[in-house]
Amino acid sequence: MSFDVAAVRALFPLLAQANGDAPLHYLDNGATSQIPQTVLDAVLSYETTSRANVLRGVHRLAEAATAAYAEARARMARFLNVDADEVIFTSGTTAAINLVAYAYGDLLKAGDEVVISLLEHHSNIVPWQLLRDRRGIVLKVLPVTDDGRLDLSTLDKIVTKRCRLIAVAHASNVTGAVSDVAAIVAAARAVGAKVLLDGAQRAPHGPIDVRALAVDFYALSGHKMFAPNGVGALWGRRALLDEMPPFLGGGEMIRTVTIERTIYADVPHKFEAGTPPIGQAIGLGTAAEWALGLDWPAISAHEMRLAQRLLDGLGRRIDTRILGPSGLQRRIPVVSFAVNGAHPHDVCQLLDTRGVALRGGHHCAQPLMDRFDLPGTVRASLALYNDDSDIDALLEGLDDAVRRLG
Amino acid sequence: MSFDVAAVRALFPLLAQANGDAPLHYLDNGATSQIPQTVLDAVLSYETTSRANVLRGVHRLAEAATAAYAEARARMARFLNVDADEVIFTSGTTAAINLVAYAYGDLLKAGDEVVISLLEHHSNIVPWQLLRDRRGIVLKVLPVTDDGRLDLSTLDKIVTKRCRLIAVAHASNVTGAVSDVAAIVAAARAVGAKVLLDGAQRAPHGPIDVRALAVDFYALSGHKMFAPNGVGALWGRRALLDEMPPFLGGGEMIRTVTIERTIYADVPHKFEAGTPPIGQAIGLGTAAEWALGLDWPAISAHEMRLAQRLLDGLGRRIDTRILGPSGLQRRIPVVSFAVNGAHPHDVCQLLDTRGVALRGGHHCAQPLMDRFDLPGTVRASLALYNDDSDIDALLEGLDDAVRRLG
Amino acid sequence: MSDDIYQQAILDHAKAAEDGGSVETPDASVTLDNPLCGDRVRIDVKMSGARIAALAHRVRGCALCQAAADVIRVRAVGQTVDGIAATAAELRAMLKDERLPPAGAWSDLGIFLPVRRHRSRHDCVLLPFAALGSALQQARASRG
Amino acid sequence: MSDDIYQQAILDHAKAAEDGGSVETPDASVTLDNPLCGDRVRIDVKMSGARIAALAHRVRGCALCQAAADVIRVRAVGQTVDGIAATAAELRAMLKDERLPPAGAWSDLGIFLPVRRHRSRHDCVLLPFAALGSALQQARASRG
Ligand SMILES: Cc1ncc(COP(=O)(O)O)c(C=O)c1O
Ligand SMILES: Cc1ncc(COP(=O)(O)O)c(C=O)c1O
């Protein structure tokens, strides 16, 4: 194996501190990933050597902060293979999707259609419901197959001429399924609709060629891709961003303000009202740059080997049902399952006593849970620093938990 | 003096690192303050010992993160003397005011009036212009006196029965004037209007008894009060927050989601869609707690003594005009001035060569600049860690700059 | 260690909760969800004056939620509306404010003491009491 | 040291900018603002065919902005629209991409070399050129 997982673990202080007495098998990366020292160092360097506000100051701290912030945007753009001035820093995926729902939503009329899916995270459902209530758009929903993928068999029926946007997860935070973006883009193009991808779960698994995906918007969160909380990014096509009205009003997003009339700044500043999360964006840029330097084919092989080990272990249990694809094709290493007679929270609580950090519940995807008539699932979400011992601890702990709860 | 400024400076790594070769006289605190080690430590402790998402996890990192996040809210509430469940974490003052403009704004009808003032920061102007364009409210503007204070002489005329909200700065980021909140609240109460205070500039100067101010909303930013970027707080009265519809949609702000219909969580969660800025909120809570432990009467005396030293020094110059109150009554230690024949940016640039960090420009308050027919001012904004040497370096540097530019 | 939550007493009650009983022609029936975990509890009550005459539940939830519902099934009949409210308050205080468990008939709520340290699970225990409280209010309201 | 920006040459041009001249019956007049600092430049031009026949400016701005406007006043008359566009591009490249200053008539733009290291001031130098560019476009458009 060309990928040295122990060396990677050593870069993450929280993982490095876990020891024999208090082992940690962190398998809740889908909720929040851990953060490497190099990202913390970048944030600390800002805080202790160039902390200042950006864009308007001429003193040396402000110049340094402004340059670092611009560099962070450039790095994020390289991570997504897009132009830097199409990258908007937000406070996270949720804020990014809401920005589109408000600002692109403002271009829609009653009767226009937005298509989401049944496997979306609430962050990609509720903003569209609010838009529906605000503007009378029609919200349509792609179904989900029995193995937890987008069901595209009726795509052509659901995506009509009235469709203005298809907004779906690039990868599901519950089933781990990666969406067939090409088919979705083709359907959208056929009717002149735009496509937004919620990339929150895809971003921790390596750089994304957004240009090749040929979508119109891409949203992600820093805290899931080894960067600080409180920052995320929205990429949008320049022409669309230019056309959209601003969303939040405030400093930094204006050209001139009089009480009567305000002229807005150019993209991306038009959508970055107020002091941005400077230190956090610098951290996100550093995380993006760090990720760009890694050997992703090797990491993917590693992640997929672990996912297979987990799927195999779960597959041997007759009381356990996997919610999602059973194989490794078009998936990220996120695995959800339900155990007969053992509630997800009880399973997670008992696993925690062995240092295995999982998530139990609806994973902010209640419509998907309803689709499968489940109150929730147990989810193991892997990152590059997980290893065999994490999977084995989960499987052993599960045996024990089921015995105790049974 | 009971206040030991050298001891306080030592708590701030960026200030402690400045030395004889590269002295730093940081007088741009109104833009962003510096951050003490104790706040950095709190953030780092989260990142390296309990980094996890909040609210929904049962594993020990999630329990620790959730508890720390709740404690941060409780601390912020103590800083403002309000109930913790009325404190909403936002990404900053701008986001907080926009939240009110969208969610409280949703309760307004065409023809309802919102009153702001001519000295507001763009963050407290543009959101209301956007609301005006969205809902047809009427935006009215309190004038400003020649010494840069809110001119309340026509308050009763401007605040009519149609007024639903008065939104003004608690303290001006340009003139340093502290608003006469009691008069504003009385005028609002007389017609049943609400009051929002933009506390961004007031917060760095000590805990605020919001209950005693008797306002309805209070907004502030972490990065100006010795905490990280990317976080701020909005306080609102419970009954109002309950009545307001949600603003952003996403995870954490819901009770149940179906595609047809979503039921929202209780306040404050209703207004905290998505993963919050957890580490940053913990930092803000720590900064609030740190501030609660300081001797503010002594600090105010120190800050005001420095402000007086600065006002005196500037007052001796015949080419310099102060934009704002000339005395120390009802002001924060923020001093703006214009120098005949020397553009603010040139002054700031030349002062930077002596390590004096100032801000020159319109300070995101263009309507105020227009009121005084100025392209901008030079602003010195002080914090508790400034000392005589900072003021003297400014005054000497100004002499020299004017000589060179003259 | 957090597995001290799963003492035999709790597991026994949880198992017993599989049969939540039934009430014919209940005076009130309330279903409550826990938004964070998807747990769902339904409580049916029949009153006799101010006292609970019969009670049944359906739980789709974790062992803690099931166990709390089962304790209710065992103990609630014959209690008054005010008595239930007081007990719910005592249970909350036991979890959140380090108070002692209720004395008397409800002393078996002491089995939930280890849950104290697990904030995220408090609501699992409290949900059935919240549903019961709502059901009692509904019953009172429907009598006018 | 960043005060190397304020070389005598720049200060002299800035001083000279106090008198921006005047153009009677200009073919175009454009006012531009720098949103970040409140600087404002007005440029009036009169054309003679494709060439600038006369030019005046009004600057409310910093020394850099004034100096750039003054260099324009001194050098722009007789230039073509394309020539001005090329010079503006060269100036931008000098500031942003470490290119050499323009050669020939416009070589005095080299006085702005020290501004390179101060990103936040680039726009101060570029604003008068942006205003001039717009004025030339307007003049061309108005001729149809
Ligand atoms: C008075 C005032 N209001 C609002 C703001 C905006 O704060 P932020 O940029 O942190 O959102 C500022 C600071 O820039 C300010 O000084
Ligand atoms: C698929 C998906 N979309 C959106 C989100 C929301 O991200 P955030 O909470 O960081 O805004 C998440 C994570 O919670 C997610 O997994």
Side-chain angles (χ1 to χ4, degrees):
Chain A
M1 268 207 323
S2 69
F3 176 68
D4 181 352
V5 65
V8 164
R9 289 181 78 82
L11 304 176
F12 289 76
L14 187 139
L15 300 176
Q17 279 159 29
N19 58 36
D21 282 354
L24 175 65
H25 301 285
Y26 190 73
L27 294 167
D28 193 17
N29 295 288
T32 282
S33 68
Q34 295 306 326
I35 192 167
Q37 189 64 44
T38 180
V39 173
L40 288 176
D41 287 345
V43 177
L44 275 179
S45 160
Y46 163 74
E47 297 288 7
T48 61
T49 72
S50 59
R51 180 165 154 121
N53 213 321
V54 291
L55 297 187
R56 282 161 308 162
V58 304
H59 59 73
R60 64 176 187 247
L61 295 178
E63 288 265 7
T66 303
Y69 185 64
E71 175 60 22
R73 199 189 302 277
R75 289 170 167 191
M76 200 62 232
R78 280 200 292 280
F79 185 88
L80 297 172
N81 190 27
V82 297
D83 287 345
D85 60 6
E86 296 178 333
V87 171
I88 297 158
F89 283 120
T90 69
S91 63
T93 302
T94 301
I97 296 176
N98 277 278
L99 192 166
V100 177
Y102 273 93
Y104 179 73
D106 243 30
L107 306 176
L108 305 190
K109 299 180 303 295
D112 282 350
E113 296 174 359
V114 170
V115 173
I116 59 173
S117 91
L118 215 52
L119 61 65
E120 299 310 312
H121 188 280
H122 294 162
S123 288
N124 197 28
I125 299 175
V126 185
W128 308 112
Q129 294 179 323
L130 292 171
L131 176 64
R132 175 184 65 191
D133 299 347
R134 229 168 30 240
R135 297 191 80 83
I137 61 139
V138 176
L139 192 56
K140 296 173 98 178
V141 185
L142 291 168
V144 166
T145 62
D146 288 342
D147 64 345
R149 292 190 183 278
L150 292 188
D151 178 352
L152 301 182
S153 61
T154 53
L155 191 60
D156 291 344
K157 286 227 181 61
I158 290 173
V159 178
T160 73
K161 288 224 172 71
R162 297 300 310 252
C163 181
R164 299 292 306 275
L165 181 73
I166 306 179
V168 291
H170 193 179
S172 161
N173 68 315
V174 178
T175 71
V178 172
S179 300
D180 181 352
V181 177
I184 293 161
V185 168
R189 291 294 170 261
V191 298
K194 307 298 175 197
V195 176
L196 175 148
L197 286 187
D198 169 356
Q201 292 294 330
R202 171 59 186 78
H205 303 290
I208 301 148
D209 189 345
V210 169
R211 210 186 297 260
L213 290 173
V215 296
D216 303 283
F217 297 106
Y218 201 93
L220 56 76
S221 291
H223 70 98
K224 296 188 200 280
M225 58 174 284
F226 319 112
N229 300 118
V231 69
L234 172 69
W235 167 82
R237 277 185 200 282
R238 178 73 193 233
L240 265 173
L241 296 178
D242 282 342
E243 199 191 332
M244 284 153 55
F247 170 39
L248 303 185
E252 331 262 1
M253 54 76 78
I254 57 93
R255 187 176 296 280
T256 50
V257 174
T258 64
I259 296 294
E260 294 69 36
R261 178 152 165 274
T262 286
I263 303 170
Y264 303 108
D266 286 339
V267 167
H269 302 292
K270 181 168 80 174
F271 294 110
E272 291 186 355
T275 303
I278 306 167
Q280 293 71 43
I282 291 170
L284 178 53
T286 303
E289 192 70 10
W290 175 73
L292 282 163
L294 299 176
D295 178 357
W296 284 99
I299 293 171
S300 285
H302 167 76
E303 288 181 347
M304 284 301 139
R305 197 179 55 74
L306 294 183
Q308 187 67 62
R309 190 181 186 93
L310 176 55
L311 289 167
D312 287 347
L314 295 172
R316 278 192 291 273
R317 304 186 60 91
I318 53 163
D319 58 354
T320 299
R321 163 182 169 205
I322 288 165
L323 179 59
S326 53
L328 299 181
Q329 292 307 302
R330 286 205 293 116
R331 84 173 297 149
I332 54 170
V334 167
V335 177
S336 274
F337 56 93
V339 186
N340 256 345
H343 189 278
H345 276 151
D346 295 325
V347 172
C348 291
Q349 190 88 57
L350 282 163
L351 270 289
D352 177 53
T353 63
R354 294 162 166 258
V356 181
L358 298 166
R359 182 138 307 216
H362 54 57
H363 314 294
C364 292
Q366 285 183 343
L368 184 68
M369 295 298 130
D370 291 345
R371 153 75 171 81
F372 289 97
D373 198 23
L374 287 169
T377 67
V378 180
R379 179 184 75 183
S381 48
L382 283 58
L384 72 174
Y385 41 62
N386 287 119
D387 62 15
D388 286 352
S389 82
D390 297 331
I391 306 300
D392 297 346
L394 188 173
L395 292 170
E396 275 166 38
L398 185 59
D399 264 353
D400 181 57
V402 169
R403 209 174 307 118
R404 295 197 51 190
L405 295 167
Chain B
M1 268 204 324
S2 69
F3 175 67
D4 180 353
V5 64
V8 164
R9 289 182 80 81
L11 304 175
F12 289 76
L14 187 139
L15 301 176
Q17 280 158 29
N19 57 36
D21 281 355
L24 175 64
H25 301 285
Y26 190 74
L27 294 166
D28 193 17
N29 296 287
T32 282
S33 68
Q34 296 306 324
I35 193 168
Q37 190 63 44
T38 180
V39 173
L40 288 176
D41 286 345
V43 178
L44 276 179
S45 160
Y46 163 73
E47 297 288 6
T48 62
T49 71
S50 58
R51 179 164 153 122
N53 213 320
V54 290
L55 296 188
R56 282 161 307 162
V58 305
H59 58 74
R60 64 176 187 244
L61 295 178
E63 288 265 8
T66 303
Y69 185 65
E71 175 61 21
R73 198 189 301 277
R75 289 170 167 191
M76 200 63 233
R78 279 199 293 279
F79 184 87
L80 297 173
N81 189 28
V82 296
D83 287 345
D85 60 6
E86 296 178 333
V87 171
I88 297 159
F89 283 120
T90 69
S91 62
T93 302
T94 302
I97 295 176
N98 277 277
L99 192 166
V100 177
Y102 274 94
Y104 179 72
D106 244 30
L107 306 176
L108 305 189
K109 298 180 305 293
D112 282 350
E113 297 174 358
V114 170
V115 174
I116 60 173
S117 91
L118 215 52
L119 61 65
E120 300 309 312
H121 188 281
H122 294 162
S123 288
N124 196 29
I125 299 176
V126 186
W128 308 113
Q129 294 179 321
L130 292 171
L131 175 64
R132 176 184 64 192
D133 300 347
R134 232 172 23 247
R135 297 191 81 83
I137 61 140
V138 176
L139 191 55
K140 296 173 98 176
V141 184
L142 290 168
V144 167
T145 63
D146 288 341
D147 65 344
R149 293 190 181 278
L150 292 188
D151 177 352
L152 301 182
S153 62
T154 53
L155 191 60
D156 292 344
K157 286 225 181 63
I158 290 173
V159 178
T160 73
K161 287 225 171 70
R162 297 298 312 252
C163 180
R164 298 293 305 277
L165 180 73
I166 304 178
V168 291
H170 192 179
S172 161
N173 68 317
V174 178
T175 71
V178 172
S179 300
D180 180 352
V181 178
I184 293 161
V185 168
R189 290 295 169 261
V191 298
K194 307 298 177 196
V195 176
L196 176 148
L197 286 187
D198 169 355
Q201 291 295 331
R202 171 58 186 79
H205 303 290
I208 301 148
D209 189 344
V210 169
R211 208 186 298 261
L213 290 172
V215 297
D216 303 284
F217 297 106
Y218 201 94
L220 55 78
S221 290
H223 70 98
K224 295 188 201 282
M225 56 174 287
F226 319 112
N229 298 121
V231 70
L234 172 70
W235 168 81
R237 277 185 200 281
R238 177 74 194 234
L240 265 173
L241 296 178
D242 281 343
E243 198 189 341
M244 283 152 56
F247 170 38
L248 303 184
E252 332 262 2
M253 55 74 79
I254 57 94
R255 187 176 297 279
T256 50
V257 174
T258 64
I259 296 294
E260 294 70 36
R261 178 153 166 274
T262 286
I263 302 170
Y264 303 109
D266 286 340
V267 168
H269 303 293
K270 180 167 82 172
F271 293 110
E272 291 185 357
T275 303
I278 305 167
Q280 292 72 40
I282 291 170
L284 178 52
T286 303
E289 192 70 10
W290 175 72
L292 281 163
L294 299 177
D295 178 356
W296 284 98
I299 294 171
S300 286
H302 167 75
E303 288 180 347
M304 285 301 137
R305 197 179 55 75
L306 295 183
Q308 187 66 62
R309 191 181 185 95
L310 176 55
L311 288 167
D312 287 347
L314 295 172
R316 278 193 291 273
R317 304 185 60 90
I318 53 164
D319 59 354
T320 300
R321 163 180 168 208
I322 288 164
L323 180 58
S326 53
L328 299 181
Q329 292 307 305
R330 285 205 291 115
R331 85 173 296 148
I332 52 170
V334 167
V335 177
S336 274
F337 57 95
V339 185
N340 255 345
H343 189 278
H345 277 150
D346 296 324
V347 172
C348 292
Q349 191 88 57
L350 282 163
L351 269 288
D352 177 53
T353 63
R354 297 166 164 253
V356 181
L358 298 165
R359 182 137 306 216
H362 55 55
H363 314 293
C364 293
Q366 286 183 342
L368 183 67
M369 296 297 131
D370 291 345
R371 153 75 172 82
F372 289 97
D373 198 23
L374 288 169
T377 67
V378 179
R379 180 185 74 182
S381 48
L382 283 58
L384 72 175
Y385 41 63
N386 287 120
D387 61 17
D388 286 351
S389 81
D390 297 330
I391 305 300
D392 297 347
L394 187 172
L395 292 170
E396 276 166 37
L398 185 60
D399 264 353
D400 182 56
V402 169
R403 207 173 309 119
R404 296 197 50 189
L405 295 167
Chain C
M1 300 287 278
S2 63
D3 65 340
D4 53 10
I5 284 183
Y6 297 94
Q7 300 299 322
Q8 202 56 43
I10 286 190
L11 295 172
D12 289 346
H13 274 294
K15 182 133 291 165
E18 279 165 28
D19 179 7
S22 66
V23 175
E24 277 174 43
T25 61
D27 293 320
S29 175
V30 163
T31 302
L32 272 195
D33 285 327
N34 177 340
L36 297 182
C37 61
D39 285 357
R40 173 169 297 169
V41 175
R42 193 185 84 207
I43 300 267
D44 301 341
V45 285
K46 192 161 185 70
M47 305 301 289
S48 156
R51 291 187 185 272
I52 299 173
L55 180 145
H57 67 71
R58 287 286 171 286
V59 180
R60 185 186 80 173
C62 64
L64 301 181
C65 187
Q66 291 173 322
D70 193 57
V71 172
I72 286 176
R73 186 188 55 77
V74 174
R75 300 285 173 210
V77 172
Q79 302 280 323
T80 63
V81 176
D82 292 346
I84 295 291
T87 300
E90 281 181 287
L91 175 60
R92 165 175 287 270
M94 173 185 108
L95 292 173
K96 309 247 174 220
D97 309 325
E98 313 269 307
R99 296 295 165 76
L100 290 178
W106 290 98
S107 61
D108 24 356
L109 290 175
I111 62 175
F112 295 111
L113 272 171
V115 181
R116 244 186 210 166
R117 290 191 300 114
H118 299 278
R119 247 182 204 258
S120 64
R121 307 302 300 278
H122 291 179
D123 284 343
C124 306
V125 180
L126 295 170
L127 188 66
F129 280 89
L132 174 57
S134 293
L136 293 176
Q137 278 190 315
Q138 198 182 79
R140 184 186 268 169
S142 71
R143 275 178 310 161
Chain D
M1 299 286 278
S2 63
D3 66 340
D4 55 9
I5 285 183
Y6 298 94
Q7 301 299 322
Q8 201 56 44
I10 286 191
L11 294 173
D12 289 346
H13 273 293
K15 180 133 293 164
E18 279 166 27
D19 179 8
S22 66
V23 175
E24 277 174 45
T25 62
D27 293 320
S29 174
V30 163
T31 302
L32 271 194
D33 285 327
N34 177 340
L36 297 182
C37 61
D39 285 358
R40 173 170 296 169
V41 175
R42 192 185 85 207
I43 300 266
D44 300 340
V45 286
K46 191 159 187 69
M47 305 300 291
S48 157
R51 293 190 184 270
I52 299 173
L55 179 144
H57 66 71
R58 287 287 171 285
V59 180
R60 185 187 79 174
C62 64
L64 301 181
C65 188
Q66 290 174 323
D70 193 57
V71 173
I72 287 175
R73 187 187 54 78
V74 174
R75 301 283 173 212
V77 172
Q79 301 281 322
T80 62
V81 176
D82 293 346
I84 295 292
T87 301
E90 282 180 287
L91 176 60
R92 167 175 288 272
M94 173 186 109
L95 292 173
K96 310 245 175 223
D97 309 325
E98 312 268 309
R99 296 294 165 76
L100 290 177
W106 290 99
S107 63
D108 25 358
L109 289 174
I111 61 174
F112 296 111
L113 272 171
V115 182
R116 245 186 210 165
R117 289 191 301 115
H118 299 278
R119 248 184 204 256
S120 63
R121 307 301 299 279
H122 291 179
D123 284 344
C124 306
V125 180
L126 296 170
L127 188 67
F129 280 88
L132 174 57
S134 294
L136 294 176
Q137 278 189 316
Q138 199 182 78
R140 182 186 270 169
S142 70
R143 273 178 311 163

